[in-house]
Amino acid sequence: MVQGYWCLVLHNHLPYVRHPEYEDFLEEDWFYEAMTETYIPLISIMEGFLNDNVDFRITMSLTPPLCNMMADKLLQDRYYNRLSKLIELAEKEVWRLRGQEPFYSTAKVYENKFKQCMQLYEKYNRNLLSAYRNLLNTGKVEIITCNATHGFLPLMSSDRVRRAQVRMAVKDYETKFGRKPRGIWLAECAYYYGVDKILKECGIQFFFVEAHGILYGEPRPRYGVFAPIYTPETGVAVFARDMETAHQVWSADVGYPGDPDYREFYRDVGYDLEYEYIRPYLHSDGVRRNVGIKYYRVTGRVGLDKKEPYVPQWAINKAATHAGNFMFNREHQIRYLRNIFDREPIVVSMYDAELFGHWWFEGPDFLNFLFRKIHFDQNIFKPILPTEYLEKYPKNQILQPSASSWGDKGYYEVWLNGSNDWIYKHLHKCEELMCESVDSYHTNVLNGDTLKKRVLNQLARELFLAQSSDWAFIMTTGTMVEYAHRRTKEHVSNFLKLYHQLKDNRIDVQFLEWLEYKNNIFPEMDYTIFI
Amino acid sequence: MNEERKDLPTSVVSSRIERRIEFTPEITDLPRSYGDTKIVLLPRDPWWCFAYWEIGEKTMQEIRSIYGENLKFILRMYDVTNVDNFNGHNANKYFDIVVNVSANNWYINLPETNRSWCVDLGIITPDGKFVMIVRSNIVIMPRFGVSALTDEQWAVLQREFERLLELSGVQMIGKGSFDIAKLMRERWEELMAISQMPQFISSGFVSSFARREQQEVVPKEFFLKADTELIVYGQTLPDAKLFINGDEFKLTPDGRFSLRLSLPDGEKVIPIKAVSSDGTVKREIIFVVTRSSEQK
């Protein structure tokens, strides 16, 4: 008999990185790598479940920047070229390594994977959003949105600006998926008092918080993190993260991805192979970097030079074992919770989607085994979507969640510390000027001034892009910091320049066109979301 | 890992716009200030706030013309928890921090959690008077710790609640994050530390969680579970304001209140304060409840 439910939430996000002004741009790799390693493989396993009648449930947040990149013709074509090159390299590798086991088997794995990616990519005419729309229609996958550009809501200057972020998300979701989003992923799970009111206004029914968002809520949560709650007055449902499952996958020492049989991320042919051979697959600057083919396994706590060769069969077996272990632990956890509760508990596991495939190469295989095992091998718990659980249990405790985030230490420090606190002065100023401009020029637009309308829309785009929490995050983590500085400065200075042109009534059309061409996120932008 | 990129031509044919756009964008440095006089308060975590400020040139000149050149700037932090329409004089309490005004920002350590704060940037005159220059927004701090409030409909025994918190992972809150970037960096640093590659600065830091064994405690046959809770109740005028433990509590239409509180071992002080609607009359009753348990 079913004793409870498991809700898997995968957060799919990348900042909007698109540089038409360069033929080749390093940071665009984030998108191309995640496409090959995570997004396409995940779609592929979900389609596999459908073909084999495996009953599964996955909740996916697809952030607006990611959806906009997937829908962008330039990036679609660039990815096609990148993937073609990767296939060419994999084919060369299969030839080079013939007869050399276990390297040959691994090369074959890459060749097959890349070719399958291409097949799926072409099936959907290079636009993965079509694939997600299909999945959404099956009712087994819930796709939720995320506030506009993954802006960090608690550190914005006003509810008016926060509201615009959420409205943009809803608008974008509607154009991409043909209906309103039921749920939202607040960027970084960052909740602050009053955000639920905005969500309610936008018709959003549920969101997610870190465990202490509910545990530290008021009054005391009756079911801990194992049942949703409703926010007071607004009645938006809130689900909190289960720490046990987070720990099982993430922990540096007991987490699955660190297993010795799994692929080592840092030992890449981009560094290992002879320079002239690998050169055509590097960026145009010719600097050695990861290209995405790796032949070694984690091995243990040894140096990169001491890594042992990867054996695909061992890794697959290990993914199956780990899936079994994960399922066993859920059975145990859910059975126990059911004994102490007067209702069926829900265990919510939230992960960055890019963990599966990009960092943990075997992650998609793990999920593939896991859902199949859950379907065929046990009947203690079932996977579920948030809305399904709310239908089953519409009556829930009313509780004021605590302000929190899922970042390091659980609050806002990752996005507000000595490395990035300087950005808020500028962001807040732009937020203020955005509202002021909309108030001042909306009447002109209503009277037919289309140029001012374009300026207001572009101001909104520049502001949203500047607000991406990714820049503050990167400044904290300390890698690629220069790019994060550059993007923050770029969008703030574009904003200010355009604002002054608007105010002084001497709009430089060429400059505006340039910005519209370069920072083209949200083609459906409508600045009235700020009203 | 952050190599320089070779600059490439800045014009390409766009797929959206038919013609070539010849334009070299420049990223200008951001303004040092915007000429405003303002102060903004942001929450960082339950213990820290961040304030940044700016004083416009004109305002600064005015201040100097009145109070002279030797100015002592302070941040006055007001505890405005449950204060309606804060006006500078009705805060619960305040404390001052002497700052260097040109620092432009400050991290403020708070003496108490779960309160609301507002900050004034101002000066202290030689005769000790505080002159406000500009006031910030009000910030409700993120909560820390489990609430003492239980709601009657969803009540649970103290011991069960503690078990529930443990199952929910309360012990892991704030102990570390699960984010890929951090995980990847840590793995990289670890690898560099043991890979004998001297060109990298080594740092062998590895994040780890305390491992906890999850053990079921299933009662065997005969057992006793017991707990106590505390119910505080009463009545005042329906339009009065009621505060329990300093937190405002909503009265029923006939002015009644009833609140269920957890009651762990030890002494608990529960101040109950009613303030008339015009704020002129106050009544306060303080309960001191002691609980001690023993098992025989």
Side-chain angles (χ1 to χ4, degrees):
Chain A
M1 203 190 77
V2 170
Q3 307 200 18
Y5 298 93
W6 179 56
C7 176
L8 174 67
V9 186
L10 298 178
H11 175 50
N12 297 257
H13 169 65
L14 285 175
Y16 197 71
V17 177
R18 174 186 174 276
H19 290 273
E21 75 276 27
Y22 295 97
E23 276 166 24
D24 174 34
F25 199 86
L26 181 59
E27 282 80 3
E28 282 180 5
D29 282 4
W30 300 340
F31 177 65
Y32 307 140
E33 286 170 5
M35 286 285 280
T36 307
E37 294 163 351
T38 298
Y39 307 140
I40 294 177
L42 288 180
I43 289 172
S44 173
I45 65 159
M46 289 190 273
E47 292 186 342
F49 297 150
L50 292 170
N51 287 336
D52 303 340
N53 284 318
V54 173
D55 197 24
F56 74 106
R57 296 290 186 280
I58 300 182
T59 301
M60 309 256 284
S61 57
L62 294 179
T63 70
L66 185 59
C67 289
N68 276 268
M69 286 193 283
M70 285 177 174
D72 184 83
K73 185 76 171 58
L74 176 75
L75 291 181
Q76 285 174 358
D77 295 346
R78 284 186 176 181
Y79 175 63
Y80 179 87
N81 296 339
R82 280 293 295 267
L83 187 56
S84 305
K85 289 284 270 186
L86 210 48
I87 289 172
E88 180 189 300
L89 175 61
E91 283 172 342
K92 278 196 197 171
E93 283 294 274
V94 167
W95 174 253
R96 182 178 71 87
L97 294 166
R98 64 194 183 282
Q100 294 179 52
E101 286 297 352
F103 297 105
Y104 175 75
S105 298
T106 308
K108 281 302 277 184
V109 166
Y110 286 111
E111 188 195 12
N112 291 337
K113 263 186 199 291
F114 298 155
K115 286 184 170 168
Q116 278 167 16
C117 274
M118 185 57 101
Q119 214 176 359
L120 192 141
Y121 193 54
E122 290 191 308
K123 183 170 92 179
Y124 290 106
N125 294 315
R126 305 187 183 184
N127 188 344
L128 290 195
L129 294 177
S130 313
Y132 291 121
R133 273 192 293 268
N134 287 352
L135 289 168
L136 181 63
N137 289 336
T138 64
K140 296 181 191 295
V141 177
E142 176 71 277
I143 294 179
I144 62 173
T145 189
C146 173
N147 51 293
T149 45
H150 212 258
F152 198 79
L153 296 174
L155 299 177
M156 287 179 193
S157 58
S158 69
D159 275 348
R160 187 174 172 184
V161 175
R162 294 184 186 111
R163 187 176 295 112
Q165 275 262 343
V166 176
R167 284 180 176 169
M168 188 70 247
V170 172
K171 204 179 240 315
D172 191 62
Y173 186 97
E174 279 184 282
T175 62
K176 306 275 187 298
F177 298 102
R179 65 160 177 78
K180 282 183 180 292
R182 284 182 274 246
I184 194 168
W185 177 273
L186 299 176
E188 316 294 0
C189 277
Y191 171 75
Y192 190 69
Y193 310 110
V195 165
D196 47 300
K197 187 161 172 276
I198 295 165
L199 302 183
K200 173 78 177 173
E201 285 166 17
C202 293
I204 286 168
Q205 298 161 35
F206 65 89
F207 65 99
F208 299 90
V209 293
E210 178 57 287
H212 57 290
I214 283 186
L215 293 182
Y216 287 174
E218 200 164 57
R220 293 180 164 197
R222 167 65 182 87
Y223 300 107
V225 296
F226 306 111
I229 58 95
Y230 291 124
T231 52
E233 285 159 42
T234 48
V236 183
V238 187
F239 292 83
R241 170 149 77 163
D242 167 59
M243 296 299 253
E244 192 180 319
T245 44
H247 188 209
Q248 224 165 0
V249 173
W250 277 119
S251 158
D253 24 84
V254 299
Y256 301 134
D259 190 277
D261 287 344
Y262 286 149
R263 193 192 74 171
E264 169 59 53
F265 179 85
Y266 285 113
R267 186 80 192 266
D268 191 287
V269 296
Y271 293 92
D272 284 356
L273 291 182
E274 193 205 326
Y275 187 69
E276 282 315 310
Y277 178 87
I278 202 71
R279 176 76 183 80
Y281 307 98
L282 300 172
H283 277 275
S284 48
D285 61 2
V287 174
R288 282 187 182 272
R289 292 192 186 88
N290 289 347
V291 298
I293 296 181
K294 305 153 205 268
Y295 292 113
Y296 292 86
R297 58 192 180 88
V298 171
T299 313
R301 290 227 161 118
V302 298
L304 278 178
D305 46 331
K306 304 275 186 335
K307 299 285 176 186
E308 304 272 344
Y310 183 73
V311 184
Q313 198 52 50
W314 297 1
I316 281 290
N317 292 346
K318 198 48 81 74
T321 306
H322 283 157
N325 175 269
F326 188 90
M327 182 178 79
F328 172 79
N329 284 319
R330 291 299 69 65
E331 288 176 60
H332 184 78
Q333 180 187 25
I334 286 168
R335 203 188 292 118
Y336 180 73
L337 291 168
R338 184 66 187 90
N339 275 334
I340 60 170
F341 286 173
D342 52 9
R343 67 194 253 169
E344 296 156 319
I346 182 170
V347 172
V348 182
S349 303
M350 298 154 27
Y351 306 104
D352 283 314
E354 296 77 18
L355 169 75
F356 297 91
H358 177 61
W359 170 250
W360 179 14
F361 184 60
E362 299 79 4
D365 298 313
F366 166 84
L367 290 178
N368 195 7
F369 286 122
L370 180 57
F371 278 104
R372 285 168 193 271
K373 279 180 193 290
I374 289 172
H375 180 71
F376 293 111
D377 298 354
Q378 59 85 44
N379 54 10
I380 301 294
F381 71 97
K382 274 184 142 174
I384 200 167
L385 299 177
T387 45
E388 291 177 318
Y389 189 85
L390 290 171
E391 275 162 32
K392 235 174 232 301
Y393 290 101
K395 193 168 149 31
N396 291 294
Q397 192 179 3
I398 293 168
L399 183 153
Q400 174 58 56
S402 169
S404 51
S405 87
W406 82 341
D408 200 11
K409 298 182 194 163
Y411 296 94
Y412 309 149
E413 190 180 346
V414 171
W415 298 273
L416 181 63
N417 59 62
S419 73
N420 54 24
D421 53 24
W422 60 272
I423 69 174
Y424 295 101
K425 176 166 90 174
H426 303 290
L427 295 180
H428 292 171
K429 189 65 192 177
C430 294
E431 290 166 9
E432 177 197 325
L433 296 177
M434 183 72 221
C435 296
E436 180 204 296
S437 306
V438 168
D439 292 342
S440 308
Y441 299 105
H442 182 51
T443 324
N444 297 60
V445 175
L446 289 179
N447 291 331
D449 192 334
T450 50
L451 186 60
K452 285 207 172 62
K453 182 176 170 179
R454 282 170 60 192
V455 172
L456 289 171
N457 284 340
Q458 193 58 33
L459 282 173
R461 288 192 191 99
E462 300 296 334
L463 171 61
F464 282 157
L465 289 171
Q467 283 175 324
S468 306
S469 69
D470 309 274
W471 315 139
F473 179 83
I474 292 171
M475 291 175 204
T476 300
T477 59
T479 32
M480 312 297 240
V481 175
E482 203 186 316
Y483 183 69
H485 280 172
R486 175 180 155 171
R487 288 294 299 272
T488 303
K489 286 185 182 169
E490 178 194 337
H491 298 298
V492 170
S493 63
N494 287 345
F495 181 97
L496 294 173
K497 203 167 164 188
L498 203 52
Y499 164 80
H500 287 296
Q501 291 181 6
L502 176 68
K503 214 179 157 208
D504 303 344
N505 203 19
R506 39 173 189 82
I507 296 163
D508 177 347
V509 179
Q510 200 192 17
F511 177 62
L512 175 63
E513 261 177 23
W514 160 258
L515 294 181
E516 286 173 336
Y517 153 76
K518 182 168 180 296
N519 299 324
N520 69 342
I521 192 170
F522 303 129
E524 73 284 8
M525 173 61 79
D526 175 2
Y527 71 85
T528 60
I529 52 174
F530 281 90
I531 293 174
Chain B
M1 296 191 75
N2 194 7
E3 290 94 344
E4 278 295 313
R5 186 181 319 102
K6 196 172 80 187
D7 272 340
L8 293 158
T10 54
S11 58
V12 288
V13 180
S14 148
S15 48
R16 266 187 64 228
I17 295 177
E18 293 301 309
R19 61 202 165 77
R20 276 166 80 94
I21 293 195
E22 299 283 349
F23 203 94
T24 315
E26 39 182 302
I27 299 172
T28 45
D29 269 339
L30 302 183
R32 290 176 67 89
S33 74
Y34 291 95
D36 297 327
T37 298
K38 75 169 184 181
I39 180 163
V40 175
L41 192 61
L42 295 171
R44 191 189 87 175
D45 55 44
W47 309 275
W48 291 87
C49 273
F50 172 73
Y52 74 85
W53 62 82
E54 200 179 306
I55 302 177
E57 238 170 83
K58 223 179 126 204
T59 312
M60 196 56 135
Q61 275 166 15
E62 276 171 36
I63 297 165
R64 292 202 196 282
S65 70
I66 303 170
Y67 300 102
E69 293 295 316
N70 254 336
L71 298 171
K72 189 173 159 193
F73 288 88
I74 63 160
L75 296 177
R76 178 158 288 185
M77 283 290 287
Y78 299 98
D79 174 343
V80 296
T81 315
N82 295 319
V83 173
D84 291 330
N85 301 318
F86 173 61
N87 59 15
H89 304 288
N90 54 353
N92 299 308
K93 49 189 176 295
Y94 69 79
F95 64 92
D96 292 344
I97 302 163
V98 179
V99 293
N100 176 350
V101 73
S102 57
N104 295 332
N105 66 72
W106 211 264
Y107 284 91
I108 302 158
N109 190 200
L110 302 169
E112 239 181 299
T113 55
N114 306 338
R115 311 293 291 173
S116 302
W117 301 90
C118 181
V119 65
D120 278 355
L121 172 63
I123 52 166
I124 293 279
T125 61
D127 53 347
K129 207 177 80 182
F130 174 68
V131 180
M132 179 192 85
I133 301 169
V134 63
R135 176 161 298 156
S136 80
N137 53 310
I138 289 173
V139 164
I140 306 170
M141 297 305 289
R143 268 194 64 88
F144 177 71
V146 173
S147 167
L149 231 59
T150 60
D151 71 48
E152 272 183 60
Q153 197 193 338
W154 303 91
V156 57
L157 296 177
Q158 177 71 16
R159 190 148 304 166
E160 279 179 27
F161 185 67
E162 279 166 17
R163 177 81 185 111
L164 188 58
L165 287 176
E166 195 186 323
L167 289 167
S168 294
V170 78
Q171 71 281 358
M172 290 185 209
I173 295 172
K175 293 257 169 70
S177 80
F178 310 101
D179 71 66
I180 301 187
K182 193 175 167 194
L183 184 80
M184 289 174 74
R185 196 185 66 243
E186 285 167 5
R187 271 290 314 284
W188 176 250
E189 283 167 359
E190 187 199 346
L191 276 170
M192 287 306 101
I194 53 181
S195 289
Q196 328 252 317
M197 294 167 126
Q199 69 268 38
F200 295 99
I201 297 161
S202 70
S203 147
F205 177 71
V206 180
S207 90
S208 66
F209 287 92
R211 253 184 258 198
R212 290 184 81 93
E213 300 298 324
Q214 300 276 2
Q215 260 178 14
E216 287 191 32
V217 188
V218 182
K220 287 185 194 108
E221 292 170 20
F222 186 76
F223 69 97
L224 171 66
K225 285 209 269 187
D227 208 335
T228 60
E229 290 198 353
L230 183 67
I231 296 178
V232 177
Y233 63 95
Q235 189 173 14
T236 177
L237 284 181
D239 61 351
K241 281 204 157 143
L242 186 86
F243 299 91
I244 300 177
N245 278 329
D247 292 324
E248 190 171 349
F249 194 81
K250 216 173 163 179
L251 295 167
T252 60
D254 62 350
R256 287 174 195 279
F257 59 93
S258 168
L259 174 71
R260 194 162 162 161
L261 294 165
S262 66
L263 185 64
D265 276 358
E267 188 181 275
K268 201 172 173 104
V269 182
I270 306 136
I272 297 160
K273 191 167 83 171
V275 184
S276 65
S277 57
D278 58 2
T280 54
V281 195
K282 288 179 189 168
R283 291 279 184 278
E284 187 164 17
I285 295 171
I286 299 169
F287 291 118
V288 181
V289 183
T290 311
R291 169 183 154 173
S292 66
S293 356
E294 59 179 304
Q295 285 192 27
K296 288 185 181 170

